[in-house]
Amino acid sequence: METIKIEFQSNVKEKLIEFLNSFSKSELHIVEEDSPIKEDKSFEEYRDRLHLAAKRIESGESKTYDLEELDAMLEKIISEYEN
């Protein structure tokens, strides 16, 4: 998507918004600058990946390790290839 900034007289806003609302949400998204919350697609993608990771951990499909466990695993792998 592309972004444009439009400056307009306040008496035109209602007509302009009505026209812009004639487009579907997949075609056009209105972002108001004074809005405290702005959509961020990268945030949504990251959030979705985190939810998926959490589900995998809860289901037992994935496992977490602390630093000591990781260090021991890496030491074992390194020792196998040192000789």
Side-chain angles (χ1 to χ4, degrees), residues 32-80:
E32 295 186 35
E33 284 191 13
D34 57 348
S35 173
I37 300 173
K38 296 187 189 254
E39 280 191 34
D40 183 354
K41 190 172 185 177
S42 62
F43 166 78
E44 291 174 356
E45 291 170 357
Y46 188 64
R47 180 199 59 207
D48 293 343
R49 288 196 325 252
L50 287 175
H51 282 266
L52 180 59
K55 284 181 185 177
R56 286 180 175 162
I57 291 169
E58 290 169 358
S59 72
E61 183 181 341
S62 294
K63 184 176 185 236
T64 59
Y65 297 94
D66 62 27
L67 288 176
E68 289 79 21
E69 292 172 312
L70 179 61
D71 187 47
M73 290 168 50
L74 290 174
E75 287 296 327
K76 181 180 177 186
I77 292 169
I78 291 169
S79 68
E80 291 174 5

